Amino acid sequence: MSVSSPVDDSRGASGSSDFLSGAAGLSGMTASERELRELQARQLLLENYKPSAIEEAYRERTGNKDLRQFGYDLFEAAFSQASQNGSFTGRVGGNYIVGVGDEFVVLFQGPEPRNITTRVDREGRLIIDQLPPIPAAGRRFDAVMQDIQAATRQTMLGTEAHVSLGAVRSISVVVGGEVERPGQYNLTSLSDITHALAQANGIKRTGSLRQVRIERAGRSVTVDLYGLLGIGTPPLIRLQDGDRIIVPTIGRTIAVTGSVVRQGIFEMAPGNQSLTLSQAVGFAGGALRPTGNDYSVLRIMPNGREEVIALTEQSETIQHGDVVQVLGRERFTTGKVTLSGYVNNPGVRSLTMAPTVKALLGGSANNMQMGSYLPFAVLLRRDPISSSTVFSGVNLYDVFYENQDVSLRSEDQLIVLGSKDIVFLQSPEVRSIVLGQPNPKPECVSLVNLEKLVQDSQSDRFAAVTRGSFIIDKGNKLGVGTAGGAQNRLGVSDVEKIAMDQSAFGMTDPRMQQLGRVGQQPGMAAGATAQGQSNQAYGQINQEEDPEKAKQLHDEMCPPVFEDNPAILPFLLENVVVAGGNLRRPGIYPVWGTLPINVMASIAEGLASRSDNFTVDLTRADPYNGTTNQTAIQGTMDTFAAIKVSAGDDLRFNVLQPQYEVGAVLLTGEFLRPGLYSIRKGETLSQLIERAGGLTEHAYPYGAVFTRRSVKLAQQEGFKRTAREMNTALLSMSARKNVSADALAAATSLTNDLSTMDAPGRMVVEADPTVLAAYPEADTVLEAGDAIYMPKKPNFVLAMGDVLNPGALQFAKGKTAKDYLEEAGGIQRSADEGRVFIVYPNGVAQPLKTSGWLRSSAAVVPPGSTIVVPKDIDPLYTLDIVRDVATIIGQFATALASIAVISNQ
């Protein structure tokens, strides 16, 4: 249990309740919330700030709209209630003058320990228990304390007294003159002049900070508040009851602007008619640069004109109303080079220590970060004549591996690119802008700049960027996808799903790892969809509430190397090599100078398939006659080490296609060795059956079920298309023909079934090895994903649809369709006799002429066949879509027959 001190109790009860209640609203806030509240308050003060007449006059003379009078913001943030109410901590100084009302806390330690709290009475005495009255008012605190201790030793044997000052007395002072709220204020005896001025809401900008007077008992003391602001000595005057504080109007002023620590308007000390230049610059905290400065003064002459006078000596005189201007003589810096970008230690280097690029980068590629891009580093150089920035490049591969070092000059800046920078060059946003499409990322300054360049130039300046892209026409705009991605998705109907794979680029050659192994970076958005999500996330972040997170996300979407200098992006896009074909990471790569083809392949992560021998198609534009030269080169990777490419070249790596399909084929049923089989390209069904050991003696090749994935997709798309057409017909016919509600409901139910039906994907194939040997042209070439089910020979025939007793009937050789239908009880009256058809075991469907039981109904029916008798759909004839419905019913029956054959084996 904590025990409070009697001194703390005394001081806490002396009038701090206002402070505690005022701070209660802030006590529940976190540190960040309080900081935000303070920032908002300061911003509000800046927005509502009105310059004084003195400030307006100096601003008009100097053209500096931010020039303000120095020191007056001392009172903008009011002192805490604790300081205003006199609450204090720590020991009171011995020179404190005791007065009537001061409270003493005396701790007696001895045979009878106790605490006594007492005040100085109106007669100026302290009455403490058994001690004689002790005079206190008007005396120093340490003298009174000594008298109490001496009296205790004489009166209370074996007892010691420990004396502290508790609550202090109140005093009344008057504040007048150039203050915001003049009047009489109650303070504590520990208050100084700043407490009184704070109670009066501070000094007006028309008032003086250096000539504040304290009038006391007929005497006057001048206080210079500049001592509280770091200029001069702070005042050490304690207020007394009855003091009057007078703030006169501001005295003589000067202004200091330019290259100084703090620009401002300063008040001269009272009694000084002038200052030296050194003193004036000292008011402003001194010049920013220790040497190499020019000094001038704007001075109003007696005739009212203003003249500019150059000052050469620090002892020259500055007069009232002068404006001192401090300017750096030269901003030019010599002997420095700057390293930035994707490096370990960016910053300024001495040209003496780093005279070349290799020395600047540490002398070896091993000192570079993993993921640094070596074929192209940007060199920014100052033009000695025009002083403009000249863009150049450095091939760091040549620097480190070909001993082609580059000398540096003073003020050169070398920017090393990294993985994210190369990814950004390949992004769909960059390629879309080059195609002339609107900028999808307006928050990226570099993309805004690129869009403007494309619109202004209207040329093929960046044509190489989209040379290796697959352009998608989306109706009202163009899209960009990779050619490889398009080839892999030829069956995809939604072009929105074809997006560029903008994963990062890496290296496979161990010696070339430093050239740019740019694997997928953490937090890097991959593909247009991820980029869209990133843009949305960026828009949801309040930059004021979480500026660090907003900046981090912005840097992920917009690489800082391009945001800091947007002109780098188009410079890189003008110097790219297009690498495509059988590469793991095809795309565009900036190259300065030349680069061996094998290194180019290594940057793109090497060949996608292993091959010791391959062909490279090299297309090179002739800049002089506008023609192109195309060369096909065959060889190994070592062969291409001697052939180099440069910006504008187009490379395509061609290798032999793999001999196996990318997927397997599934054999089930009556095969000797069923299972999953990898297949060679061009392999046929008969060859695969032979590899599977052939068929069992129970196999029924005529009923083989062959399904293919692409056929299934096509069938499902056909179902959906037919459902859409039927819906359109329903809407049209229901508006202009007399159609019953029941017919419309039935047709609607059918269209819903069509749109959700899972197609079997069955193909009619010949699966009998004997027949295939005799007729090789009937042999089916297999594809990845095919599935073949070889059923056992069935001994039934299915009768389905509108018959009296649908089901499986015993197969008998020589029976006709008519016979089977009669065994099923015959056809019902609701049947459509004109549309009866038979589905054979191999999936082929043929109609039967049942009307009058013509010859076709007497045809021989093989085992496993399905006879389908559809219902009369006469109510739907008014919809003019009977043919479509009949076709769909036939597809339903074919699918059902196939499933029935499979499920009954």
Side-chain angles (χ1 to χ4, degrees), residues 715 719 757-762 839 843 889-902:
Q715 289 176 345
F719 291 160
M757 179 179 180
D758 186 17
R762 182 175 182 180
V839 180
I889 292 176
Q891 293 174 343
F892 275 147
T894 302
L896 292 173
S898 300
I899 296 171
V901 171
I902 295 174

Side-chain angles (χ1 to χ4, degrees), residues 659 661 679-685 687 780-783:
Q659 296 300 312
E661 291 282 357
I679 59 171
R680 299 183 302 273
K681 288 189 175 182
E683 188 169 358
T684 63
L685 178 57
Q687 292 172 337
T780 302
V781 178
L782 299 175
E783 294 180 2

